[in-house]
Structures are given as structure tokens and as C-alpha cells.
Amino acid sequence: VQLVESGGGLVQPGGSLRLSCVASGFTTGSYHITWNRQVPGKERELVARISSAGVNRDYADSVKGRFTISRDNAKNTVYLQMNSLKPEDTAVYYCNALRSWSSTTPLLDWGKGTLVTVSS
């Protein structure tokens, strides 16, 4: 049972990337899914989350209006569309699942993540 992140890379400031989070061994449609990021030496932070049916979505203030979380339960995949990227968005991005909308505890062990580097 795991989530695998992909889609990271090097992008110039102002550019866009779309990250994917694909589930293996379970059905994402049963769970709320989060996107998180971590910079070396800093705490991992929640970037966005989406409810199991995709009705509710939350974003960190730092990414509101620039990032969009979405899901395709038929493909067992959750996406993070990142636009207007800034150097401070540089981080390793991870996805995870939540037991409930009010929970902050990740359901699964953290995966390897995908590195996003925003630099000119």
C-alpha cells in the first residue's frame, strides 16, 4: 500500500508543473488526500488537501490562487497543478492520505516524493 509521486523537475520562476500522486494497493477514492512539501532543515508543511469525493479543497495561504489540487478516482490519481511558481516553492513534494477531514495525521508512511526546483 503506497502512494507514488511524480512530475517534479526544474522550472523557471513563473512557470508551471503538474504533479501526480498514484496509489498502489488501495483505492484513493476512499480517502482524503494531501499534498505536502519539505525543504531540507525545515518541517514538512501541508500545501493542499482534497476530500475523497473531490468536493472540499483547502490550500496553504502561500499557494492559494496559484496551485490547484484535483483528483481522478477512476485513475486512482491525485494531481497538483502548480502555476506562477516562485523560488520559494522549491521543495520535495509528497502526497499522503488522511483518515478523516479533521485529522492531521498521515495515514501512510511517507514516500520518496518528487523534487521541484524553481530557479532561473
Side-chain angles (χ1 to χ4, degrees):
V1 176
Q2 62 177 349
L3 292 167
V4 178
E5 306 91 346
S6 64
L10 173 64
V11 63
Q12 292 188 340
S16 298
L17 280 175
R18 188 176 80 158
L19 307 183
S20 297
C21 170
V22 180
S24 174
F26 75 104
T27 304
T28 56
S30 300
Y31 297 95
H32 313 307
I33 301 294
T34 64
W35 276 103
N36 311 264
R37 67 186 180 187
Q38 188 170 26
V39 175
K42 293 191 176 181
E43 298 258 332
R44 185 178 282 122
E45 64 168 337
L46 177 66
V47 172
R49 60 175 182 163
I50 187 167
S51 60
S52 56
V55 174
N56 297 313
R57 308 176 195 200
D58 279 344
Y59 299 93
D61 287 344
S62 57
V63 307
K64 276 182 185 175
R66 300 188 297 121
F67 289 13
T68 302
I69 190 170
S70 63
R71 66 192 304 155
D72 184 340
N73 287 339
K75 295 183 178 180
N76 232 15
T77 303
V78 176
Y79 303 99
L80 185 68
Q81 177 67 43
M82 306 187 297
N83 298 328
S84 303
L85 282 161
K86 305 176 181 180
E88 52 264 42
D89 294 318
T90 296
V92 179
Y93 284 71
Y94 304 86
C95 58
N96 212 307
L98 295 173
R99 290 188 187 278
S100 67
W101 193 243
S102 59
S103 173
T104 59
T105 304
L107 187 62
L108 305 172
D109 291 337
W110 294 102
K112 294 181 179 180
T114 186
L115 175 63
V116 172
T117 303
V118 185
S119 174
S120 54

